């Protein structure tokens, strides 16, 4: 299997369901500064942000995915709609993450659905996917 296949086959730590049902250790991951990808409907993503807010490190910055990104220094960077980032914006985010002054920043990226199909369709950068997807939380709303 080639490197691309190896990366796509590797699976991150994954939690699924409403965040209130996840084991307590998901909050511990936030404190270790790993990057987290959260997918799900908007209401579930907002519930996750409310639940996780107390353990995010300040300063916290939030940006919305779009064709461009305006990134500033932060200890926690929340990237909303990461699945809607243009390829140019994806390259900007990856380069920003690689800068020595930002290597201590935890990235919490949020998407309406899984990024893997976008990677497989060459619509999302594999290297960025791999860097963002250290922990994958699939947020669901309570029924």
């Amino acid at each position: 299997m080639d490197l691309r296949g190896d990366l796509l086959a590797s699976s991150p730590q994954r939690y699924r369901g409403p965040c209130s049902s996840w084991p307590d250790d998901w909050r511990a991951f936030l404190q270790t500064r790993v990057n987290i990808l959260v997918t799900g409907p908007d209401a579930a993503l907002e519930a996750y942000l409310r639940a996780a807010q107390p353990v995010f490190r300040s300063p916290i910055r939030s940006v919305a995915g779009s064709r461009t990104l305006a990134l500033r220094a932060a200890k926690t960077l929340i990237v909303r709609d990461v699945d809607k980032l243009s390829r140019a914006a994806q390259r900007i985010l990856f380069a920003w993450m690689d800068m020595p002054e930002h290597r201590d920043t935890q990235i919490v990226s949020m998407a309406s659905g899984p990024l893997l199909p976008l990677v497989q369709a060459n619509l999302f950068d594999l290297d960025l996917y791999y860097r963002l997807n250290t922990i994958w939380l699939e947020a669901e709303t309570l029924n």
Side-chain angles (χ1 to χ4, degrees):
M1 188 178 284
D2 63 3
L3 178 60
R4 181 178 175 86
D6 288 343
L7 290 177
L8 291 175
S10 66
S11 82
Q13 178 70 40
R14 183 175 177 182
Y15 293 103
R16 183 177 215 163
C19 61
S20 61
S21 71
W22 295 336
D24 288 337
D25 62 346
W26 74 269
R27 286 184 180 88
F29 286 120
L30 289 174
Q31 296 169 338
T32 62
R33 199 203 65 79
V34 298
N35 294 332
I36 297 173
L37 172 63
V38 187
T39 60
D42 287 343
L45 297 176
E46 293 305 316
Y48 164 77
L49 281 180
R50 284 191 304 277
Q53 191 77 24
V55 291
F56 287 155
R57 295 178 309 144
S58 294
I60 301 167
R61 304 276 186 244
S62 182
V63 296
S66 65
R67 301 198 68 71
T68 61
L69 281 179
L71 299 171
R72 299 182 302 169
K75 290 292 183 186
T76 301
L77 178 67
I78 300 166
V79 182
R80 295 170 185 267
D81 300 321
V82 71
D83 51 334
K84 295 180 177 74
L85 289 176
S86 68
R87 291 293 282 198
Q90 291 172 36
R91 286 189 293 276
I92 290 168
L93 177 58
F94 189 85
W96 186 90
M97 291 170 69
D98 254 358
M99 296 172 137
E101 63 268 28
H102 303 300
R103 288 197 181 134
D104 192 40
T105 300
Q106 178 179 35
I107 310 293
V108 178
S109 50
M110 305 174 79
S112 58
L115 294 182
L116 185 57
L118 298 176
V119 172
Q120 291 169 328
N122 275 337
L123 299 173
F124 200 88
D125 182 76
L126 174 65
D127 294 327
L128 181 59
Y129 170 78
Y130 187 67
R131 293 274 300 274
L132 294 176
N133 197 25
T134 305
I135 304 291
W136 179 16
L137 304 176
E138 287 183 276
E140 297 174 0
T141 53
L142 289 170
N143 292 331

